[in-house]
Structures are given as C-alpha cells and as structure tokens.
Amino acid sequence: MRPARALIDLSALRHNYLLARERHGGRALAVVKANAYGHGALRCAQALRDEADGFAVAFLGEALELRAGGIDAPILLLEGVFAADELAEVARQRLWMVVHHEEQLCMLERTPLAAPVDVWLKVNSGMNRAGFVGDAVARTWRRLQASGKVGRIVLMTHFARADEPELGTTLEQLQRFEAATAGLPGARSVANSAAILAWPQARRDWARPGILLYGADPMPAEGNDLRAVMTLESAVMAVREIAPGEALGYGGRFVAERPTRVGLVAMGYADGYPRVVPDGTPVAVEGRASRIIGRVSMDMLTIDLTALPEAGLGSQVELWGKQVPINHVAQAAGTISYELLCNVKRVRLEYADARGMGGKA
Ligand SMILES: Cc1ncc(COP(=O)(O)O)c(C=O)c1O
C-alpha cells in the first residue's frame, strides 16, 4: 500500500479547542468548514462532541453531513443560505444561520417557516467582504425581529488583520462594531483564532476558532501551546546516489555540488503537497531534520539523505506535523497553513485518539 497518509490526532484537536475556549472565555463554536480544514469534518465533530458548544460550517450541505452523522449540537452556517428553498431545511435541522446581506433578509421575510431560526447578524466593521454597515445593522435587526421567523439574534463581525497585533485596524473594527450594535440586545461574537490569541479586548460571548483548533498558530512567533493535529507523512520508496554536476528532477533545478544521496518519497502535488517549495524546505526523516531537493512532482518528491546514512528504503518521512511545523512549509510555499491543510487530498486520513476512537476514514 502506498505509504502516503495524513494522521489526525484527535486528542490534540480537543486540547486546542479547550485552550481556545479557556483563553477566550464564554462559549466557542468549533469552525469545521471545508471538511474541518482538510481533517475530516464528521470525525472532528464527533471527537469534539463532549466539549464543543457548537460548530460552524460554510453552507447547508456541510451542516447536513454533520447532522446525518449524528451531530446534534448547534451548527452555524457562516455564509447563511443561498436560496429561499434552503430555509425549510435550516429550520427543520435546527441550524443557525448568518444573515450578511439584504437578499438573505428578504428571503427570510417572504418564506413561511415551520419554526423560528436563530440568526447571527453579521456586521461589516471594515473587512468589506460581507455584512451590514452602520445604521443598516439596527434596521436589519428590527426587520429580523418583526419577521416573526427569528429566535435569538447574535451580533457578529469578522476581523481582516487580527494576526497582525502591531496594527490598530482590529481595534478600529471593534469600535465600528460597537457603534453599529450599540443598544441592541443579544450575545456578541467577534473573535477568530488570531483574535483569541492576540486581542483580549475582542473577547465576547462566543469565540469562533478555526485554524487554532488544528494546531497551526496564525502568529507563529507567539509560542502558544498548540498541538499539531495533522501529520502529513509518507516513506522513502527508492534511494540513489548522484554525482557532483548531476541534476535532479524536472527542470534540473537542483544540481549536486558533492556526492548526494537522494531519497525518493511517495508524496507529490496531487496529494496536496505544494509544488512551489524551494530546495531546502524542511522535512523530517525518522525524526531527523532533512530537506527537499529538486522540484516536487505529481506523486513523488526528492529529499537529501546525504547526512542520514541510516535512512533508506521504507524510512518514514514527515512533510509537516509534530516535528516539521506546517507554518515553515507554508512560508516556503508563499502561502498560509490554511491553504496547505485544505488542499490535502488523495492520501488516506487515519485517526488516532487517546480516548480510543482510532481507525481509518
Ligand atoms: C466568519 C468566520 N469566523 C471564524 C473563522 C475562523 O477563522 P480562523 O481559522 O482564522 O480562526 C472564519 C474562517 O475563515 C470565518 O469565516
């Protein structure tokens, strides 16, 4: 069997969730959209079942997968509904939904519902992506109330630059949020992972941690006690020596300066490992540091085993995880951990859980 796999540590997931909630205070929705950032939404939700106050996904289909898998906890649709015919299912499944633009409000007003739904009213406090601005917030709140279709209304916003603690923009967003929601009753929710870690001023009734749950610090320098949840790993499937002056792989990007022992690893960009990483990108071989040499191919990549004579056929290679921080790979690839995690595909997801729920997906 091809040795490429993503090992998911569900105990680490719980640790990170509890850390997020404790740091923030109040309650926390675990953000498990995009298949839990590539970790498997249902398995992650099941692992958090006893701890999490609720979950957040992007859209109805993601929520239905969790409900079908037996998740009874509150589930928030972060993008709300796309069409009025989704509303009946939202009510039936007792889902919570974000309302972030006028058309969603109109759909709610004109669609008969069997039961009221809880709404998270989104305020655009400066990200300018979604949400109501200024006076429109209170007007929308009143229309939601008057519709007779709505249970509780939570007031929320989302930060654009909470991972940059040296900037003032997060506090500016907070001030705009406070001004737009002044006098309106109901719970508040503003903090994503970076805000939970870096902005004590941004703690309200509900946190919405995402990336933090998966153990990737949005501000890597901070040294928070996060535990990597996914270990992307594979094994050496062939070894060869190349002589000084010989080129390795597509485009001949790496040219050996000295006799070089090359390990061929079963992992490539078709599995989600980024093709763009340069020579020198870190990997770990049986727990020892090594590096990518040569361009990453579709199913294979090559690493330097020159300094690791004990490594050979079958040696385990970690691409990221507990030994190789995903942020280092993301930096080398010119992207963020979020994208790397969400891109993992084709490899087996295998689960380990100190509570004994291990097994394959
Ligand atoms: C509205 C909202 N809240 C919370 C999150 C979680 O963000 P993070 O993964 O940075 O914690 C997201 C993710 O993009 C989001 O869109």
Side-chain angles (χ1 to χ4, degrees), residues 31 33 37 78 122 129 158 192-193 208-211 338:
V31 180
K33 63 179 176 167
Y37 294 39
L78 289 169
K122 190 160 187 172
R129 191 177 64 166
H158 193 49
N192 59 355
S193 296
R208 305 186 310 269
I211 196 69
Y338 301 68

Side-chain angles (χ1 to χ4, degrees), residues 173-197:
Q173 281 199 252
L174 209 45
Q175 279 160 9
R176 279 189 216 114
F177 174 75
E178 294 300 347
T181 57
L184 296 176
R188 267 68 171 160
S189 174
V190 301
N192 59 355
S193 296
I196 292 166
L197 296 172

Side-chain angles (χ1 to χ4, degrees), residues 38 67 223 248-249 332 340:
R67 282 283 184 262
L248 174 63
L340 293 186

Side-chain angles (χ1 to χ4, degrees), residues 135-196:
D135 294 347
V137 176
R139 276 202 306 278
T140 307
W141 191 93
R142 284 193 292 272
R143 278 173 64 182
L144 287 169
Q145 281 291 54
S147 73
K149 316 268 175 62
V150 172
R152 274 169 304 185
I153 303 176
V154 176
L155 296 158
M156 70 173 291
T157 195
H158 193 49
F159 296 126
R161 307 185 72 173
D163 56 343
E164 297 174 272
E166 66 286 358
L167 289 185
T169 52
T170 298
L171 291 182
E172 285 165 23
Q173 281 199 252
L174 209 45
Q175 279 160 9
R176 279 189 216 114
F177 174 75
E178 294 300 347
T181 57
L184 296 176
R188 267 68 171 160
S189 174
V190 301
N192 59 355
S193 296
I196 292 166

Side-chain angles (χ1 to χ4, degrees), residues 17-64:
Y17 173 83
L18 293 173
L19 181 145
R21 189 171 61 187
E22 180 164 333
R23 189 74 79 89
H24 178 274
R27 287 180 283 177
L29 290 184
V31 180
V32 293
K33 63 179 176 167
N35 202 25
Y37 294 39
H39 294 68
L42 183 56
R43 290 300 296 265
C44 288
Q46 285 167 338
L48 288 169
R49 192 198 297 260
D50 293 342
E51 284 82 10
D53 302 309
F55 298 94
V57 296
F59 55 90
L60 180 61
E62 291 185 330
L64 295 182

